[in-house]
Amino acid sequence: MLTKKQLDLLEFIQKRVQRDGVPPSFDEMKEALDLRSKSGIHRLITALEERGFIRRLAHRARALEIVRLPESLGGEARHSFSPRVIDGDLSDAPRPANAQPVEVAHAFEVPLMGRIAAGVPIEAIAHVQHNVSVPSNMIRGAANHYALEVRGDSMIEAGINDGDVVIIRETSVADNGDIVVALIEDQEATLKRFYRRGNAIALEAANPAYETRLFPEDQVRVQGRLVGLIRSY
């Protein structure tokens, strides 16, 4: 049985992964739970891991796997919840002494289409450079997915850093708050949060150093929505 704080943290992580495709940072966890220090978050994460709700992946720095959810969060039996492996901010968290490597049973080959700006928009690159392997527990299949290398720091507070590779599911629609690939005036592509404001589209950064940009809706086309992230160390 989970304590209220443990349940609150698990719910917060789950919602952020569903919304952003990446888990929250330690600072965001600390603020959400109104804790004074990150050490409290470390203790809660360890408790959740010991109870079988999350797993820190051995030999993969800063990787977190949601294994199952309690019934109060809509979870059922362990086998009915399909976990997604997402790189997060857990590099300084202690690992269990008996941690073993986690083998990826299957991976999909997804085309890397080029670079995407997380900052000032850059010119879209529309040709395939090469393929990247994406774990099968991150996406259900390679069809309608592609990858982009991130350049810039405007999405760092969403856990997306310069040099990360984001996995995008092709779609032309988005809900408010989704992180999307937006094509501006058919020339420039950028990775931002999407918000509809009347007849305009707001593209919002996850970094206070960048201002939200507002465009007429006919100047912005959604090219896809963020579903995962791959980080190399």
Side-chain angles (χ1 to χ4, degrees), residues 93-163:
R95 293 187 186 278
N98 62 347
Q100 297 297 319
V102 175
E103 297 294 332
V104 177
H106 183 67
F108 297 106
E109 292 293 315
V110 172
L112 180 69
M113 301 298 292
R115 294 176 178 175
I116 184 75
V120 178
I122 58 175
E123 184 178 357
I125 300 177
H127 65 276
V128 177
Q129 294 185 340
H130 56 80
N131 291 338
V132 295
S133 295
V134 180
S136 58
N137 52 6
M138 184 179 290
I139 60 176
R140 294 183 178 179
N144 302 318
H145 289 82
Y146 59 93
L148 292 166
E149 184 181 356
V150 173
R151 281 289 173 260
D153 63 356
S154 76
M155 299 302 290
I156 56 174
E157 291 191 0
I160 304 171
N161 299 332
D162 183 52

Side-chain angles (χ1 to χ4, degrees), residues 14 39 67 69 81 101 106 116 125 129 137 142 149 165 191 203:
Q14 180 214 11
S39 61
V67 178
L69 294 173
F81 181 75
H106 183 67
I116 184 75
I125 300 177
Q129 294 185 340
N137 52 6
E149 184 181 356
V165 172
L191 187 73
L203 300 178

Side-chain angles (χ1 to χ4, degrees), residues 51-119:
R51 288 160 176 78
F53 290 98
I54 65 174
R55 180 188 300 147
R56 287 182 290 234
L57 303 184
H59 305 295
R60 289 188 58 191
R62 303 202 295 179
L64 174 68
E65 180 182 8
I66 299 178
V67 178
R68 64 188 179 102
L69 294 173
E71 292 183 2
S72 60
L73 296 183
E76 299 177 6
R78 179 185 296 265
H79 64 272
S80 66
F81 181 75
S82 178
R84 297 174 64 200
V85 178
I86 302 292
D87 285 337
D89 290 319
L90 300 178
S91 58
D92 52 353
R95 293 187 186 278
N98 62 347
Q100 297 297 319
V102 175
E103 297 294 332
V104 177
H106 183 67
F108 297 106
E109 292 293 315
V110 172
L112 180 69
M113 301 298 292
R115 294 176 178 175
I116 184 75

